[in-house]
Amino acid sequence: MSTELPGQESLLDRLQRKRDGRNVDPRLGTLLGEGSHQRVKDPDVAFPIHGPRTQAEPDAGASPTYHGLPVIKQPVWIPTIPTYLYVGGVSGAASLLGLALDLHGNRPLRRLALRCQQVGTAGDMLSAGLLIADLGRPERFLHMLRVLRPTSPMSMGSWVLALSGGLNTVALVLGRARGILGTLGRVSGATAGLLGMPLAGYTAVLLCNSAVPVWQATRRTLPLFFMASATASAGSLLSLLPHSEEEARVLRPYRLAGKVAELACGVAVERDARRTPGVAKPLSLGTSGALWRTSRACSAAGLVLDALPGRRRWKQVAADTLTTAGAILARFAVFHAGKQSARDPRATFESQRAGHGAAEVLGHAVASDGKPLSFPLPVVR
Amino acid sequence: MSRKGFFTDSTVCIGCKACEVACKQWNQLPDDGFHFTAMSYDHTGALGASTWRHVAFVERAEPLPGHVTGVGDFSWLMLSDVCKHCQRAGCLESCPTGAIVRTEFDTVYVQPDVCNGCGYCVVNCPFGVIDRRPDDGRAWKCTLCYDRLGEDMTPACAKACPTESIVYGDLEALHARAERRVEQLHEQGLVSAYLYGQDARSQPGTGGLNAFSLLVDRPEVYNLPPDPVVPTMKAKQAWGAVAVGALGMFAMAVGAVLVGRETRP
């Protein structure tokens, strides 16, 4: 090859090539193509291996790990996702209350029905914005509605959110019109109200339908918790907004029922996770544990304050603020618990060895290495 | 087109990382930076958006039958790890955009122009393979050299492997070859040798892997899950809980309205 190379050859390149005399075209080392443009992650953030590890030493005994490295990837989502889990829930539960008011409410409750619809619509819009903010490529959000895939809660949820937002908006615009347009608006509103229930619940399926141990383990109770919490927080938010005396009589049983259900389901979630001790750890330890405990305390305080006799406005505001804080903190706690759980390889290994992997749904008895899933003789302590 | 896959025989891997380099070279992936992990010769750590082949290094204080070392009870296990191209792939079943497809070679492929970066496949892979690249957020993983298969070429990693630890070919032929190899090892006294994820019978949670491996210790040692499951298999229970919750929510909403209306003076 001749010594003349066009383009960006530096003096250093030329000197080096002259010295070692190799017949190498440095342009061949230039990376091209789509995959090559990626900026490589900061290793300390990308792989906890480079930073402090969850387990210092690989255990050669009963439960080995690969240098303590995580086996599955951490969720890549940013805090807009737990925020969305709250906003979507409030929006769904508010839309549903709007439907119930339209069905059974009387004249003094009309304004509350409209308020519910407004909260639902605003929540749907905000939810879409939060989801788009989380995507690495927001310009491609429409790809979400390219297919309908029943196996993917993300796909189902995108459709539910898009439909609910669209129908709520139609209902808000046309709901008070006369004639056929008014009917269209009211039918849209009713459909959006019904969609509010899957909107509040699918977000939990979104988390549970994953390889993250703590989310997968709580799949029977987390949807119930999210839906109860959505009811409690929608009731609290509507109570914080100005309302009349008649409307307060509907809001009080609604939010109280939600708050009681939320606390009960929170206990159920903890019990569900505790089937495997290693899996439940993030709900009691570290940042996620602190968040979870605080959220439970806020929710309990919100319920107690609300149920106490006396009708002072400040008491009501404090109770509803505490409930709202509890609901938001619970979403962040579940989110961070998932991240923590994914970092811990033992959570994955232990729960699968305990028969909570594929064996739970398929009923087989041996692991991939042909050994029995559970050791036949329980260790006597 | 016939079903293609990889058979990775960890007993002949020498940890040269030629597969990692060949993969990066063919697929034009940037290097991961020159970081030492301070734990073994493994410097890549895990599969990711820019690492589609990864060689795991395990040092054990246990001998391998038939091996003679000068340092007493010691053995070194190496395994070149890659996307498993599962028969029931968590990433494919969870992708809301249809960006992840099954190709005519029965492999799992991410279409980069469709992926919108929601990151849902990342939490749905029970093996922790697929990852989102940090700059534009799209998900990337091993394509099983889809662009080479179409030209009837061997994937770069298998082509570069100097010991035939990575074997590429028709899945049926690979299964036969792998079973012969396990029998041979058992005869030589290495009775712990077994095939990981060969078919739906040995790994029902994934329906079998198109990239399966021969291992000589528990899967955990190589950072592989012992009983992986495609999360979709468990989704029915979660959706069932949503149905129950919906009944509850509806009862609470209608009940509140009825109670509030009737107590009106």
Side-chain angles (χ1 to χ4, degrees):
Chain A
M1 187 206 234
S2 72
T3 46
E4 269 75 49
L5 270 171
Q8 307 92 356
E9 199 188 18
S10 69
L11 177 66
L12 189 67
D13 288 338
R14 250 176 301 163
L15 286 175
Q16 274 183 335
R17 211 149 37 76
K18 194 173 261 179
R19 203 185 58 189
D20 65 14
R22 283 180 302 177
N23 187 15
V24 172
D25 182 352
R27 285 169 303 178
L28 291 177
T30 311
L31 293 180
L32 303 164
E34 257 186 306
S36 65
H37 302 314
Q38 57 184 304
R39 201 180 62 237
V40 172
K41 279 182 183 174
D42 177 3
D44 294 334
V45 180
F47 308 115
I49 48 167
H50 297 286
R53 279 177 240 153
T54 44
Q55 269 85 32
E57 287 299 313
D59 182 359
S63 111
T65 64
Y66 180 70
H67 305 288
L69 300 194
V71 57
I72 54 168
K73 291 270 179 291
Q74 273 190 73
V76 288
W77 298 322
I78 54 175
T80 55
I81 290 292
T83 314
Y84 160 66
L85 299 181
Y86 167 76
V87 175
V90 169
S91 153
S95 304
L96 178 64
L97 184 63
L99 171 65
L101 286 165
D102 276 340
L103 287 178
H104 296 289
N106 41 19
R107 188 166 278 278
L109 296 175
R110 289 263 170 83
R111 263 193 40 220
L112 183 60
L114 181 65
R115 171 68 45 78
C116 285
Q117 220 161 51
Q118 286 165 343
V119 169
T121 312
D124 287 344
M125 301 296 157
L126 185 56
S127 298
L130 286 168
L131 279 188
I132 290 173
D134 176 70
L135 293 176
R137 319 180 78 200
E139 75 275 17
R140 290 285 172 87
F141 178 70
L142 283 178
H143 280 179
M144 284 289 198
L145 306 178
R146 200 174 152 261
V147 292
L148 179 75
R149 182 167 271 166
T151 56
S152 168
M154 183 75 100
S155 172
M156 301 311 285
S158 303
W159 279 102
V160 167
L161 179 62
L163 283 176
S164 152
L167 292 172
N168 256 331
T169 313
V170 169
L172 203 59
V173 173
L174 297 178
R176 270 75 201 159
R178 285 161 197 272
I180 187 133
L181 284 179
T183 314
L184 183 70
R186 282 185 288 280
V187 170
S188 300
T191 317
L194 288 176
L195 282 174
M197 295 181 283
L199 180 61
Y202 99 85
T203 46
V205 184
L206 184 80
L207 300 184
C208 298
N209 190 80
S210 72
V212 175
V214 70
W215 291 346
Q216 199 180 79
T218 53
R219 66 190 175 281
R220 291 183 201 84
T221 45
L222 199 64
L224 295 174
F225 174 70
F226 271 27
M227 292 170 99
S229 172
T231 305
S233 39
S236 298
L237 184 70
L238 289 165
S239 305
L240 285 173
L241 297 173
H243 55 276
S244 69
E245 196 62 26
E246 285 89 1
E247 291 163 355
R249 290 203 193 91
V250 171
L251 288 176
R252 186 174 158 81
Y254 189 59
R255 61 165 192 264
L256 278 178
K259 287 177 187 189
V260 171
E262 185 192 2
L263 274 179
C265 292
V267 176
V269 166
E270 275 183 48
R271 283 180 63 93
D272 216 10
R274 245 185 263 129
R275 286 185 306 153
T276 318
V279 170
K281 252 194 298 185
L283 288 179
S284 51
L285 302 177
T287 318
S288 54
L291 281 171
W292 178 253
R293 279 193 304 273
T294 317
S295 86
R296 294 304 79 218
C298 284
S299 294
L303 173 63
V304 168
L305 211 53
D306 204 357
L308 282 178
R311 290 196 169 200
R312 307 283 286 276
R313 181 68 185 151
W314 69 263
K315 193 179 80 113
Q316 192 52 49
V317 168
D320 292 333
T321 311
L322 278 169
T323 305
T324 304
I328 296 176
L329 284 173
R331 303 310 200 280
F332 275 87
V334 170
F335 176 70
H336 281 293
K339 289 207 165 196
Q340 210 49 47
S341 185
R343 269 171 178 258
D344 179 7
R346 289 220 167 90
T348 301
F349 294 154
E350 277 174 18
S351 73
Q352 294 189 1
R353 284 285 180 196
H356 298 148
E360 203 171 37
V361 277
L362 293 164
H364 62 95
V366 290
S368 288
D369 57 356
K371 304 272 175 5
L373 272 169
S374 316
F375 195 66
L377 299 172
V379 179
V380 181
R381 289 180 203 282
Chain B
M1 292 289 169
S2 54
R3 298 165 61 199
K4 304 286 188 188
F6 285 129
F7 163 50
T8 311
D9 183 350
S10 71
T11 54
V12 290
C13 180
I14 53 170
C16 68
K17 301 183 192 177
C19 48
E20 283 191 27
V21 175
C23 175
K24 281 195 183 290
Q25 219 164 33
W26 178 261
N27 294 301
Q28 299 271 296
L29 298 171
D31 66 63
D32 302 297
F34 298 96
H35 303 283
F36 290 104
T37 53
M39 61 188 186
S40 76
Y41 286 109
D42 179 359
H43 66 286
T44 25
L47 293 169
S50 61
T51 310
W52 297 354
R53 263 278 175 197
H54 155 242
V55 182
F57 288 75
V58 183
E59 292 93 349
R60 304 186 308 166
E62 292 168 46
L64 266 184
H67 280 214
V68 180
T69 62
V71 290
D73 284 350
F74 178 78
S75 59
W76 216 339
L77 307 181
M78 291 155 222
L79 171 72
S80 182
D81 195 13
V82 70
C83 169
K84 316 293 182 293
H85 298 275
C86 316
Q87 282 300 314
R88 283 200 61 180
C91 58
L92 194 156
E93 292 191 4
S94 70
C95 177
T97 63
I100 305 184
V101 294
R102 196 166 283 284
T103 69
E104 67 269 36
F105 304 104
D106 203 34
T107 60
V108 179
Y109 178 71
V110 189
Q111 305 175 75
D113 56 334
V114 184
C115 175
N116 74 355
C118 70
Y120 198 40
C121 50
V122 175
V123 284
N124 264 272
C125 176
F127 301 98
V129 171
I130 195 164
D131 202 7
R132 222 164 76 157
R133 55 188 264 191
D135 48 354
D136 67 3
R138 282 181 294 172
W140 289 76
K141 72 169 191 69
C142 161
T143 64
L144 219 144
C145 282
Y146 189 40
D147 47 349
R148 289 173 68 93
L149 298 199
E151 303 293 321
D152 220 12
M153 291 156 78
T154 304
C157 53
K159 189 84 183 169
C161 180
T163 62
E164 285 200 350
S165 170
I166 302 169
V167 191
Y168 160 80
D170 288 337
L171 219 49
E172 289 73 26
L174 290 181
H175 284 169
R177 178 182 177 139
E179 276 154 21
R180 272 203 313 280
R181 175 67 180 156
V182 171
E183 276 171 30
Q184 187 193 355
L185 287 171
H186 283 191
E187 277 165 24
Q188 289 174 6
L190 192 53
V191 288
S192 58
Y194 67 99
L195 295 178
Y196 177 84
Q198 176 197 14
D199 51 24
R201 202 175 43 81
S202 65
Q203 203 178 81
T206 60
L209 310 173
N210 276 28
F212 62 102
S213 319
L214 189 156
L215 307 179
V216 295
D217 201 340
R218 283 160 293 183
E220 293 97 314
V221 170
Y222 301 89
N223 216 13
L224 293 169
D227 191 27
V229 59
V230 54
T232 319
M233 274 190 192
K234 295 183 168 179
K236 210 181 276 176
Q237 290 162 326
W239 284 117
V242 170
V244 173
L247 283 178
M249 273 183 88
F250 195 78
M252 285 194 276
V254 172
V257 173
L258 290 178
V259 168
R261 193 184 58 172
E262 278 166 11
T263 53
R264 208 163 63 85

